[in-house]
Amino acid sequence: RETSSSIQEDFMHCMSTQFGEYTRSFEIIFNQDSSLYSYILQSSVQNPRYLNATTPKPLLIITPFHESEIQAAVFCSKNHDLQIRVRSGGHDYEGLSYLCRTPFIIIDLINMRSIEINLEDETAWVQSGANLGELYYALAMKSLVHGFPAGLCPTVGIGGHLGGGGFGTLLRKYGLAADQVVDAYLIDVNGRILDRRAMGEDLFWAIRGGGGSSFGIILSWKIKLVRVPETVTSFTVLKTLEQGALELVHRWQYIAPKFHEDLFIRILIVHVGNGDQKTIHANFNSLFLGKIDRLIPLMNQSFPELGLRAEDCTEMSWVESTVYFAGFSKGSPLEMLLDKKQLFKSMFKAKSDFVTEPIPFHALEGIWGRLLEEEMAIMIMDPFGGKMNEILESEVPFPHRNGVLYNIQYMVKWEANGVMASNRHIHWIRSLYKYMAPYVSRSPRAAYINYRDLDLGTNKLQNASYSEAAAWGIKYFKSNFKRLALVKSKVDPGNFFRNEQSIPPFPTPG
Ligand code: FDA
């Protein structure tokens, strides 16, 4: 059996053979002896729960500047039976972009983050290593009437986000980030660089929401920009139990998915603290694509119970709203979007659900009580409806469309490291998830791939089986799962690009 240092040497030799004598490999390949190895490994990790002394580490980290370096890495990894973990923004909830239980390398796209905006045809080419904040900032430098319907956290990577769907405050008006992808460049298992025409419509369909990492390495995406008004309005209204929070949450379920599609109001129920220091409230957090004078009458008509006043609202440009929704205080400079410090970095476990019938009041009371049991627990409710109702379930692999009232994300965070502490919080969130079963979607109990949850099931890494993977695959993709597996059999039948929840090939008959 080869030792890890001999595998490394062989791999480096392979890389230099690919590049000739004057290889740049020393600038882009880092092994555990390199002084930069730990720094790069940790740099974008969002869930530190997965980075400790006992978690497996990559033999090498490669930070390519050029696609030929990725082609070489794919070729050499196959030759040396190494797995590849591709990392764009590092926000995978279960750490799958930097963790693997068999010998592996990381291809970290940190140096591939260019953004080219073309206002003439209202598109942009964005490399996978860029993050959402960089995209929003670059857009703002060119136009204040163009936006992009993606997520809220600026450090989320384009690669993983678009690969799993991606949604944020423009969801009800324009759908998902993946709905706006019109072309892409991918490196396939044979090291070929393919654009939409060359990869064909089936593979192009699969990469727009089928979950990153199953079909190849996406280098860049061509996205369609969307129109936003020059002035939009944001507000956040906090309600405690005494101020009728639960009655408002209950009411919101009936109306938020039916609001005018310019109006997006999500709810965050946040509990922080313990003992006498507890605070819990429902936070009604909104983006309206218009000005206050249009919003107030609309709210008086659609959601008078919230009692929204003009002074609760702030007019701003759409890009300023991305700073606001990222959690920075009002008036923060746009440059905050470029800050790579992750505001929300902490150990966490999350789960998701889709709701198709309003949750009864007594069950909401039960949730509220359960959130109080943890020190840092959040439940985020993102309303669907609007444009999401118009897009077919089969349009891209993300199937949660017409009929979904809202998405729930449950999240628990903690600071103390260690297995005992983690187990306690994980046990709590699993029990909340069990409690929710009667109130959320059934057959399947659906989940969102970008809020990855390995509790739903995992592949056997050496021998992924379609029927076993269907247990979690159908929750994420419903009937699109089979089509994803059929695409996989065509483009990567040997299942080279794989992880614990990658799409397995569809079994061949016989
Ligand atoms: P990361 O680099 O970890 O990749 C995720 C997966 O995609 C991995 O399996 C990885 O191997 C694969 N991958 C990455 N780049 C690839 C490439 N170029 N080619 C092939 N495979 C690739 N979601 C949402 O919809 N709306 C939101 O508002 C938010 N907000 C949010 C906030 C915070 C703090 C976190 C941690 C996460 C979110 N998310 C979210 C979820 C987010 O969309 C999801 O975790 C994405 O997969 C993250 O993409 P990254 O590139 O950052 O992750």
Side-chain angles (χ1 to χ4, degrees), residues 133 136 151-155 169 266 285 319-329 336-337 343-344:
Y136 299 155
L152 278 69
C153 173
T155 50
T169 56
R266 65 178 190 146
N285 186 211
V319 71
E320 284 167 338
S321 82
T322 67
V323 179
Y324 177 76
F325 278 94
F328 297 107
S329 50
M336 296 315 284
L337 293 171
L343 275 185
F344 310 103

PDB file of all heavy atoms in Angstrom, residues 133 136 151-155 169 266 285 319-329 336-337 343-344:
ATOM      1  N   GLY A 133     -21.584  38.199  -2.612  1.00  0.00           N
ATOM      2  CA  GLY A 133     -21.302  39.607  -2.305  1.00  0.00           C
ATOM      3  C   GLY A 133     -20.519  40.256  -3.439  1.00  0.00           C
ATOM      4  O   GLY A 133     -20.805  41.402  -3.838  1.00  0.00           O
ATOM      5  N   TYR A 136     -22.956  40.896  -6.313  1.00  0.00           N
ATOM      6  CA  TYR A 136     -23.851  42.027  -6.083  1.00  0.00           C
ATOM      7  C   TYR A 136     -23.081  43.349  -6.191  1.00  0.00           C
ATOM      8  O   TYR A 136     -23.571  44.332  -6.752  1.00  0.00           O
ATOM      9  CB  TYR A 136     -24.516  41.929  -4.697  1.00  0.00           C
ATOM     10  CG  TYR A 136     -25.376  40.688  -4.486  1.00  0.00           C
ATOM     11  CD1 TYR A 136     -25.624  40.175  -3.214  1.00  0.00           C
ATOM     12  CD2 TYR A 136     -25.956  40.024  -5.562  1.00  0.00           C
ATOM     13  CE1 TYR A 136     -26.415  39.050  -3.015  1.00  0.00           C
ATOM     14  CE2 TYR A 136     -26.744  38.891  -5.374  1.00  0.00           C
ATOM     15  CZ  TYR A 136     -26.961  38.407  -4.101  1.00  0.00           C
ATOM     16  OH  TYR A 136     -27.740  37.284  -3.908  1.00  0.00           O
ATOM     17  N   GLY A 151     -28.989  34.147  -2.906  1.00  0.00           N
ATOM     18  CA  GLY A 151     -29.097  34.125  -1.453  1.00  0.00           C
ATOM     19  C   GLY A 151     -28.644  35.393  -0.740  1.00  0.00           C
ATOM     20  O   GLY A 151     -28.186  36.362  -1.367  1.00  0.00           O
ATOM     21  N   LEU A 152     -28.760  35.359   0.572  1.00  0.00           N
ATOM     22  CA  LEU A 152     -28.568  36.558   1.394  1.00  0.00           C
ATOM     23  C   LEU A 152     -27.160  36.733   1.937  1.00  0.00           C
ATOM     24  O   LEU A 152     -26.740  37.840   2.219  1.00  0.00           O
ATOM     25  CB  LEU A 152     -29.543  36.516   2.581  1.00  0.00           C
ATOM     26  CG  LEU A 152     -30.950  36.991   2.295  1.00  0.00           C
ATOM     27  CD1 LEU A 152     -31.685  36.044   1.379  1.00  0.00           C
ATOM     28  CD2 LEU A 152     -31.717  37.134   3.576  1.00  0.00           C
ATOM     29  N   CYS A 153     -26.458  35.632   2.133  1.00  0.00           N
ATOM     30  CA  CYS A 153     -25.160  35.741   2.808  1.00  0.00           C
ATOM     31  C   CYS A 153     -24.068  36.002   1.758  1.00  0.00           C
ATOM     32  O   CYS A 153     -23.875  35.188   0.851  1.00  0.00           O
ATOM     33  CB  CYS A 153     -24.888  34.441   3.547  1.00  0.00           C
ATOM     34  SG  CYS A 153     -23.258  34.371   4.235  1.00  0.00           S
ATOM     35  N   PRO A 154     -23.363  37.142   1.858  1.00  0.00           N
ATOM     36  CA  PRO A 154     -22.431  37.513   0.785  1.00  0.00           C
ATOM     37  C   PRO A 154     -21.269  36.534   0.581  1.00  0.00           C
ATOM     38  O   PRO A 154     -20.724  36.461  -0.507  1.00  0.00           O
ATOM     39  CB  PRO A 154     -21.880  38.873   1.241  1.00  0.00           C
ATOM     40  CG  PRO A 154     -22.618  39.264   2.448  1.00  0.00           C
ATOM     41  CD  PRO A 154     -23.451  38.139   2.925  1.00  0.00           C
ATOM     42  N   THR A 155     -20.906  35.781   1.625  1.00  0.00           N
ATOM     43  CA  THR A 155     -19.735  34.901   1.447  1.00  0.00           C
ATOM     44  C   THR A 155     -20.092  33.546   0.831  1.00  0.00           C
ATOM     45  O   THR A 155     -19.200  32.734   0.564  1.00  0.00           O
ATOM     46  CB  THR A 155     -19.029  34.679   2.805  1.00  0.00           C
ATOM     47  OG1 THR A 155     -20.004  34.296   3.773  1.00  0.00           O
ATOM     48  CG2 THR A 155     -18.314  35.935   3.265  1.00  0.00           C
ATOM     49  N   THR A 169     -34.195  37.112  -1.482  1.00  0.00           N
ATOM     50  CA  THR A 169     -35.329  38.032  -1.389  1.00  0.00           C
ATOM     51  C   THR A 169     -36.060  38.254  -2.724  1.00  0.00           C
ATOM     52  O   THR A 169     -37.159  38.789  -2.733  1.00  0.00           O
ATOM     53  CB  THR A 169     -34.869  39.402  -0.870  1.00  0.00           C
ATOM     54  OG1 THR A 169     -33.834  39.862  -1.751  1.00  0.00           O
ATOM     55  CG2 THR A 169     -34.323  39.332   0.539  1.00  0.00           C
ATOM     56  N   ARG A 266     -40.147  37.528   5.013  1.00  0.00           N
ATOM     57  CA  ARG A 266     -39.799  36.262   5.654  1.00  0.00           C
ATOM     58  C   ARG A 266     -39.841  36.445   7.169  1.00  0.00           C
ATOM     59  O   ARG A 266     -39.858  37.573   7.671  1.00  0.00           O
ATOM     60  CB  ARG A 266     -38.432  35.782   5.199  1.00  0.00           C
ATOM     61  CG  ARG A 266     -37.304  36.686   5.616  1.00  0.00           C
ATOM     62  CD  ARG A 266     -35.982  36.116   5.155  1.00  0.00           C
ATOM     63  NE  ARG A 266     -34.891  36.860   5.746  1.00  0.00           N
ATOM     64  CZ  ARG A 266     -33.737  36.330   6.104  1.00  0.00           C
ATOM     65  NH1 ARG A 266     -33.506  35.057   5.917  1.00  0.00           N
ATOM     66  NH2 ARG A 266     -32.790  37.073   6.638  1.00  0.00           N
ATOM     67  N   ASN A 285     -39.093  40.298   8.265  1.00  0.00           N
ATOM     68  CA  ASN A 285     -37.954  40.900   7.584  1.00  0.00           C
ATOM     69  C   ASN A 285     -38.296  40.926   6.082  1.00  0.00           C
ATOM     70  O   ASN A 285     -38.530  39.891   5.490  1.00  0.00           O
ATOM     71  CB  ASN A 285     -36.770  39.953   7.882  1.00  0.00           C
ATOM     72  CG  ASN A 285     -35.451  40.426   7.394  1.00  0.00           C
ATOM     73  OD1 ASN A 285     -34.615  39.615   7.051  1.00  0.00           O
ATOM     74  ND2 ASN A 285     -35.230  41.703   7.363  1.00  0.00           N
ATOM     75  N   VAL A 319     -29.000  47.107  -4.274  1.00  0.00           N
ATOM     76  CA  VAL A 319     -27.729  46.576  -3.751  1.00  0.00           C
ATOM     77  C   VAL A 319     -27.572  46.941  -2.278  1.00  0.00           C
ATOM     78  O   VAL A 319     -27.045  46.155  -1.479  1.00  0.00           O
ATOM     79  CB  VAL A 319     -26.520  47.008  -4.611  1.00  0.00           C
ATOM     80  CG1 VAL A 319     -26.214  48.493  -4.449  1.00  0.00           C
ATOM     81  CG2 VAL A 319     -25.291  46.187  -4.225  1.00  0.00           C
ATOM     82  N   GLU A 320     -28.072  48.108  -1.881  1.00  0.00           N
ATOM     83  CA  GLU A 320     -28.025  48.432  -0.438  1.00  0.00           C
ATOM     84  C   GLU A 320     -28.868  47.432   0.360  1.00  0.00           C
ATOM     85  O   GLU A 320     -28.531  47.089   1.497  1.00  0.00           O
ATOM     86  CB  GLU A 320     -28.501  49.865  -0.199  1.00  0.00           C
ATOM     87  CG  GLU A 320     -27.458  50.895  -0.593  1.00  0.00           C
ATOM     88  CD  GLU A 320     -28.001  52.326  -0.673  1.00  0.00           C
ATOM     89  OE1 GLU A 320     -29.227  52.525  -0.832  1.00  0.00           O
ATOM     90  OE2 GLU A 320     -27.177  53.242  -0.617  1.00  0.00           O
ATOM     91  N   SER A 321     -29.929  46.973  -0.267  1.00  0.00           N
ATOM     92  CA  SER A 321     -30.753  45.986   0.457  1.00  0.00           C
ATOM     93  C   SER A 321     -29.973  44.682   0.656  1.00  0.00           C
ATOM     94  O   SER A 321     -30.189  43.978   1.634  1.00  0.00           O
ATOM     95  CB  SER A 321     -32.085  45.722  -0.270  1.00  0.00           C
ATOM     96  OG  SER A 321     -31.929  44.790  -1.319  1.00  0.00           O
ATOM     97  N   THR A 322     -29.047  44.367  -0.259  1.00  0.00           N
ATOM     98  CA  THR A 322     -28.272  43.124  -0.058  1.00  0.00           C
ATOM     99  C   THR A 322     -27.328  43.285   1.142  1.00  0.00           C
ATOM    100  O   THR A 322     -27.059  42.331   1.851  1.00  0.00           O
ATOM    101  CB  THR A 322     -27.470  42.701  -1.320  1.00  0.00           C
ATOM    102  OG1 THR A 322     -26.432  43.659  -1.571  1.00  0.00           O
ATOM    103  CG2 THR A 322     -28.352  42.546  -2.538  1.00  0.00           C
ATOM    104  N   VAL A 323     -26.858  44.520   1.367  1.00  0.00           N
ATOM    105  CA  VAL A 323     -26.009  44.777   2.544  1.00  0.00           C
ATOM    106  C   VAL A 323     -26.867  44.638   3.812  1.00  0.00           C
ATOM    107  O   VAL A 323     -26.476  44.018   4.796  1.00  0.00           O
ATOM    108  CB  VAL A 323     -25.380  46.192   2.464  1.00  0.00           C
ATOM    109  CG1 VAL A 323     -24.526  46.476   3.691  1.00  0.00           C
ATOM    110  CG2 VAL A 323     -24.549  46.339   1.192  1.00  0.00           C
ATOM    111  N   TYR A 324     -28.061  45.195   3.727  1.00  0.00           N
ATOM    112  CA  TYR A 324     -29.000  45.150   4.861  1.00  0.00           C
ATOM    113  C   TYR A 324     -29.363  43.699   5.209  1.00  0.00           C
ATOM    114  O   TYR A 324     -29.313  43.277   6.366  1.00  0.00           O
ATOM    115  CB  TYR A 324     -30.233  45.964   4.462  1.00  0.00           C
ATOM    116  CG  TYR A 324     -31.356  45.995   5.455  1.00  0.00           C
ATOM    117  CD1 TYR A 324     -31.275  46.788   6.601  1.00  0.00           C
ATOM    118  CD2 TYR A 324     -32.519  45.260   5.239  1.00  0.00           C
ATOM    119  CE1 TYR A 324     -32.322  46.827   7.502  1.00  0.00           C
ATOM    120  CE2 TYR A 324     -33.571  45.293   6.135  1.00  0.00           C
ATOM    121  CZ  TYR A 324     -33.470  46.076   7.269  1.00  0.00           C
ATOM    122  OH  TYR A 324     -34.506  46.110   8.163  1.00  0.00           O
ATOM    123  N   PHE A 325     -29.720  42.915   4.189  1.00  0.00           N
ATOM    124  CA  PHE A 325     -30.113  41.528   4.448  1.00  0.00           C
ATOM    125  C   PHE A 325     -28.931  40.656   4.863  1.00  0.00           C
ATOM    126  O   PHE A 325     -29.114  39.581   5.423  1.00  0.00           O
ATOM    127  CB  PHE A 325     -30.833  40.923   3.240  1.00  0.00           C
ATOM    128  CG  PHE A 325     -32.273  41.288   3.205  1.00  0.00           C
ATOM    129  CD1 PHE A 325     -32.711  42.386   2.484  1.00  0.00           C
ATOM    130  CD2 PHE A 325     -33.199  40.570   3.943  1.00  0.00           C
ATOM    131  CE1 PHE A 325     -34.046  42.750   2.477  1.00  0.00           C
ATOM    132  CE2 PHE A 325     -34.533  40.924   3.952  1.00  0.00           C
ATOM    133  CZ  PHE A 325     -34.964  42.017   3.220  1.00  0.00           C
ATOM    134  N   ALA A 326     -27.728  41.134   4.546  1.00  0.00           N
ATOM    135  CA  ALA A 326     -26.555  40.373   4.991  1.00  0.00           C
ATOM    136  C   ALA A 326     -26.313  40.566   6.485  1.00  0.00           C
ATOM    137  O   ALA A 326     -25.444  39.916   7.060  1.00  0.00           O
ATOM    138  CB  ALA A 326     -25.329  40.815   4.199  1.00  0.00           C
ATOM    139  N   GLY A 327     -27.065  41.468   7.096  1.00  0.00           N
ATOM    140  CA  GLY A 327     -26.959  41.632   8.547  1.00  0.00           C
ATOM    141  C   GLY A 327     -26.115  42.826   8.969  1.00  0.00           C
ATOM    142  O   GLY A 327     -25.874  43.026  10.158  1.00  0.00           O
ATOM    143  N   PHE A 328     -25.659  43.629   8.008  1.00  0.00           N
ATOM    144  CA  PHE A 328     -24.879  44.811   8.382  1.00  0.00           C
ATOM    145  C   PHE A 328     -25.842  45.943   8.746  1.00  0.00           C
ATOM    146  O   PHE A 328     -26.975  45.987   8.242  1.00  0.00           O
ATOM    147  CB  PHE A 328     -23.973  45.244   7.226  1.00  0.00           C
ATOM    148  CG  PHE A 328     -22.945  44.195   6.880  1.00  0.00           C
ATOM    149  CD1 PHE A 328     -23.065  43.441   5.718  1.00  0.00           C
ATOM    150  CD2 PHE A 328     -21.878  43.939   7.726  1.00  0.00           C
ATOM    151  CE1 PHE A 328     -22.132  42.460   5.406  1.00  0.00           C
ATOM    152  CE2 PHE A 328     -20.939  42.967   7.428  1.00  0.00           C
ATOM    153  CZ  PHE A 328     -21.065  42.223   6.264  1.00  0.00           C
ATOM    154  N   SER A 329     -25.362  46.873   9.572  1.00  0.00           N
ATOM    155  CA  SER A 329     -26.279  47.924  10.007  1.00  0.00           C
ATOM    156  C   SER A 329     -26.586  48.870   8.851  1.00  0.00           C
ATOM    157  O   SER A 329     -25.795  48.986   7.900  1.00  0.00           O
ATOM    158  CB  SER A 329     -25.696  48.674  11.195  1.00  0.00           C
ATOM    159  OG  SER A 329     -24.383  49.040  10.880  1.00  0.00           O
ATOM    160  N   MET A 336     -18.785  46.291   2.306  1.00  0.00           N
ATOM    161  CA  MET A 336     -18.994  45.174   3.249  1.00  0.00           C
ATOM    162  C   MET A 336     -19.301  43.886   2.480  1.00  0.00           C
ATOM    163  O   MET A 336     -19.073  42.789   2.966  1.00  0.00           O
ATOM    164  CB  MET A 336     -20.147  45.465   4.212  1.00  0.00           C
ATOM    165  CG  MET A 336     -19.928  46.644   5.135  1.00  0.00           C
ATOM    166  SD  MET A 336     -18.331  46.690   5.899  1.00  0.00           S
ATOM    167  CE  MET A 336     -18.494  45.436   7.145  1.00  0.00           C
ATOM    168  N   LEU A 337     -19.850  44.053   1.280  1.00  0.00           N
ATOM    169  CA  LEU A 337     -20.166  42.868   0.473  1.00  0.00           C
ATOM    170  C   LEU A 337     -18.911  42.119   0.064  1.00  0.00           C
ATOM    171  O   LEU A 337     -18.970  40.952  -0.322  1.00  0.00           O
ATOM    172  CB  LEU A 337     -20.938  43.278  -0.793  1.00  0.00           C
ATOM    173  CG  LEU A 337     -22.340  43.833  -0.569  1.00  0.00           C
ATOM    174  CD1 LEU A 337     -22.897  44.407  -1.870  1.00  0.00           C
ATOM    175  CD2 LEU A 337     -23.258  42.739  -0.033  1.00  0.00           C
ATOM    176  N   LEU A 343     -19.785  36.485   8.899  1.00  0.00           N
ATOM    177  CA  LEU A 343     -20.513  37.005  10.055  1.00  0.00           C
ATOM    178  C   LEU A 343     -21.107  35.895  10.920  1.00  0.00           C
ATOM    179  O   LEU A 343     -21.228  36.033  12.106  1.00  0.00           O
ATOM    180  CB  LEU A 343     -21.687  37.855   9.550  1.00  0.00           C
ATOM    181  CG  LEU A 343     -21.428  39.303   9.209  1.00  0.00           C
ATOM    182  CD1 LEU A 343     -22.726  39.974   8.858  1.00  0.00           C
ATOM    183  CD2 LEU A 343     -20.781  39.999  10.392  1.00  0.00           C
ATOM    184  N   PHE A 344     -21.504  34.810  10.246  1.00  0.00           N
ATOM    185  CA  PHE A 344     -22.299  33.818  10.970  1.00  0.00           C
ATOM    186  C   PHE A 344     -21.502  32.562  11.280  1.00  0.00           C
ATOM    187  O   PHE A 344     -22.053  31.511  11.491  1.00  0.00           O
ATOM    188  CB  PHE A 344     -23.544  33.463  10.150  1.00  0.00           C
ATOM    189  CG  PHE A 344     -24.286  34.666   9.689  1.00  0.00           C
ATOM    190  CD1 PHE A 344     -24.191  35.112   8.382  1.00  0.00           C
ATOM    191  CD2 PHE A 344     -25.063  35.377  10.588  1.00  0.00           C
ATOM    192  CE1 PHE A 344     -24.868  36.233   7.969  1.00  0.00           C
ATOM    193  CE2 PHE A 344     -25.746  36.502  10.176  1.00  0.00           C
ATOM    194  CZ  PHE A 344     -25.656  36.944   8.872  1.00  0.00           C
TER     195      PHE A 344
END
